[in-house]
């Protein structure tokens, strides 16, 4: 029996539609998945919503459903559902299996089984839906290589920033300092065990900057705000041979970064980090499968559903995206529930 799917479409700058579409029957090696929930990736999806996608690069290099970047388009890469229909050649154990998929927001979709990740039985759907973002946090740890006793600064406490801070808070660091302009995010980060400050308040910012400069600056700095100009703040907090890891994707946005003076003399290490690949240093022993195993363990440990601040139906998508665009301080993580 064919399924009727509700699908979210970005049809233009700041334009959202929910469309109903009958999906085809699964062919050989395919299944139909009925979605339980999907997570909005606020940083990337705001680029889509605002029309700030770079024309020269795909939305994701490794995910087939995210290759298109012209309106109208579907987007989303974090959904959890249940396999409800099997195509020919698919083993019976898939029927009823909870799965994660890098799939745009929709109530139902067809997928080849090799593109689905089974969800462990002990992990709830609203925790499993964080797999993509938690994998990003794990990748950031691998790329930053924090070590015992280091002073680590995280700029930006969106959901990836909070997940990263959750992981860093469990390490024997010398200090974990985070910055975010929204009080609700700083409050959660403080509950995780981090010191926090508002980077827009000059007195708070300067106090921490002066304190760290007296002890050679932060050892490791993560930039996760999505605002290119914040790279200058990362430079300000750095010291000799400090490591700056850029986890943001800026889309078409850019800003001047001041690398003269102390920044030049300090031999800064500035690295971009992207979860679609593994660091070349790790590929001798690590695979994506191994990193997913670690990511599931981190989901068990952190229980990221604690960060869900809003659950809405797909029909309410236009209002949610408008809220994320105009009142981002009111949301931590929004989920579509089906």
């Amino acid at each position: 029996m064919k399924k009727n799917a509700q699908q979210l479409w970005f049809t233009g700058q700041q334009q959202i539609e929910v469309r109903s579409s009958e999906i085809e029957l699964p062919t050989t090696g395919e299944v139909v998945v009925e979605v339980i929930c999907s997570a909005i990736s606020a940083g990337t999806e705001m680029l889509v919503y605002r029309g700030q996608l770079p024309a020269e690069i795909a939305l994701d290099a490794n995910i087939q459903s995210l290759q298109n970047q012209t309106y109208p388009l579907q987007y989303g890469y974090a959904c959890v559902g249940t396999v409800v229909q099997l195509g020919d050649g698919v083993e019976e154990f898939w029927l009823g299996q909870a799965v994660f998929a890098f799939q745009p927001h929709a109530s139902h979709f067809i997928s080849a089984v090799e593109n689905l990740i089974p969800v462990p039985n002990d992990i709830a759907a609203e925790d499993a839906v964080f797999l993509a973002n938690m994998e990003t946090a794990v990748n950031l740890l691998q790329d930053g290589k924090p070590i015992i006793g280091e002073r680590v600064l995280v700029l930006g406490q969106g959901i990836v920033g909070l997940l990263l801070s959750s992981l860093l808070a469990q390490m024997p660091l010398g200090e974990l300092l985070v910055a975010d302009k929204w009080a609700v995010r700083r409050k959660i980060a403080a509950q995780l065990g981090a010191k926090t400050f508002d980077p827009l308040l000059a007195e708070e910012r300067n106090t921490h900057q002066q304190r760290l400069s007296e002890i050679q600056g932060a050892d490791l700095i993560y930039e996760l705000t999505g605002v290119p100009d914040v790279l200058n703040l990362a430079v300000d907090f750095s010291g000799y041979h400090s490591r700056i890891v850029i986890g943001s994707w800026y889309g078409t946005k850019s800003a001047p970064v001041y690398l003269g003076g102390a920044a030049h003399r300090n031999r800064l290490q500035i690295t971009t980090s992207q979860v679609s690949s593994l660091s070349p240093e790790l590929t001798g022993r690590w695979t994506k499968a191994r990193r997913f195993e670690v990511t599931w363990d981190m989901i068990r440990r952190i229980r990221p559903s604690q960060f869900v601040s809003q659950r809405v139906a797909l029909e309410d998508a236009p209002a949610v995206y408008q809220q994320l665009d105009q009142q981002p301080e009111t949301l931590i993580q929004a989920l579509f529930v089906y």
Side-chain angles (χ1 to χ4, degrees):
M1 180 184 301
K2 291 185 177 181
K3 301 289 184 180
N4 196 52
Q6 300 298 111
Q7 301 170 337
L8 180 66
W9 286 83
F10 294 84
T11 55
Q13 187 172 330
Q14 297 182 327
Q15 296 177 23
I16 298 284
E17 288 182 12
V18 178
R19 299 176 177 177
S20 181
S21 177
E22 187 178 67
I23 61 175
E24 297 298 320
L25 294 173
T27 59
T28 301
E30 292 183 333
V31 298
V32 175
V33 178
E34 184 175 276
V35 179
I36 299 170
C37 58
S38 62
I40 297 175
S41 178
T44 310
E45 293 191 43
M46 280 297 99
L47 295 179
V48 180
Y49 182 74
R50 294 167 178 158
Q52 295 174 332
L53 293 173
E56 72 279 5
I57 189 168
L59 295 172
D60 191 285
N62 295 330
I63 302 174
Q64 185 60 41
S65 61
L66 302 183
Q67 299 303 299
N68 178 39
Q69 60 220 37
T70 57
Y71 299 119
L73 62 88
Q74 291 180 271
Y75 194 72
Y77 55 81
C79 72
V80 172
T82 305
V83 174
V84 295
Q85 193 170 356
L86 307 180
D88 291 339
V90 178
E91 296 183 54
E92 284 294 325
F93 81 85
W94 281 102
L95 191 61
Q97 172 68 50
V99 294
F100 176 94
F102 294 94
Q103 186 73 22
H105 303 294
S107 64
H108 299 78
F109 64 88
I110 292 177
S111 174
V113 291
E114 58 264 27
N115 294 330
L116 301 175
I117 301 173
V119 175
N121 293 334
D122 61 334
I123 296 180
E126 289 195 1
D127 287 314
V129 79
F130 285 85
L131 180 66
N133 282 327
M134 184 64 87
E135 186 194 13
T136 300
V138 170
N139 180 65
L140 286 164
L141 275 185
Q142 291 181 329
D143 286 348
K145 305 178 184 67
I147 63 175
I148 187 170
E150 284 199 312
R151 296 180 291 272
V152 180
L153 169 62
V154 182
L155 301 173
Q157 290 292 280
I159 191 59
V160 171
L162 285 171
L163 291 171
L164 177 61
S165 295
S166 299
L167 300 180
L168 288 166
Q170 301 192 37
M171 301 183 68
L173 301 174
E175 179 180 349
L176 175 58
L177 179 65
V178 305
D180 197 282
K181 62 182 179 180
W182 304 127
V184 64
R185 296 177 178 179
R186 295 197 304 274
K187 180 180 179 181
I188 294 175
Q191 293 170 347
L192 296 172
K195 296 179 183 178
T196 71
F197 71 96
D198 182 347
L200 300 184
L201 297 179
E203 184 176 356
E204 286 190 23
R205 182 181 67 247
N206 293 339
T207 295
H208 286 290
Q209 185 180 338
Q210 178 61 32
R211 177 178 61 82
L212 285 175
S213 68
E214 293 173 356
I215 51 176
Q216 300 183 317
D219 299 291
L220 171 60
I221 303 164
Y222 289 98
E223 199 300 285
L224 303 175
T225 66
V227 181
D229 186 59
V230 176
L231 279 172
N232 290 301
L233 184 60
V235 171
D236 289 342
F237 273 83
S238 63
Y240 184 74
H241 215 231
S242 293
R243 312 188 304 283
I244 298 174
V245 178
I246 303 171
S248 295
W249 186 33
Y250 301 126
T252 60
K253 297 177 290 183
S254 63
V257 180
Y258 307 109
L259 297 176
H264 180 69
R265 293 193 301 271
N266 277 340
R267 292 177 173 267
L268 297 181
Q269 304 171 76
I270 301 177
T271 305
T272 58
S273 176
Q274 217 291 322
V275 71
S276 63
S277 60
L278 290 159
S279 169
E281 299 173 5
L282 299 177
T283 53
R285 297 181 310 278
W286 283 81
T287 62
K288 288 278 285 186
R290 181 180 178 186
R291 191 167 65 187
F292 275 131
E293 290 177 6
V294 172
T295 301
W296 285 126
D297 283 341
M298 295 307 100
I299 286 173
R300 292 183 179 94
R301 181 174 299 187
I302 302 301
R303 298 294 182 189
S305 58
Q306 65 178 300
F307 301 130
V308 175
S309 57
Q310 194 160 345
R311 297 168 176 84
V312 298
L314 198 63
E315 290 75 16
D316 296 323
V320 173
Y321 283 97
Q322 185 179 48
Q323 184 179 357
L324 282 167
D325 184 39
Q326 299 178 9
Q327 298 175 296
E329 73 278 9
T330 63
L331 290 173
I332 298 296
Q333 176 63 65
L335 294 188
F336 291 121
V337 292
Y338 301 85

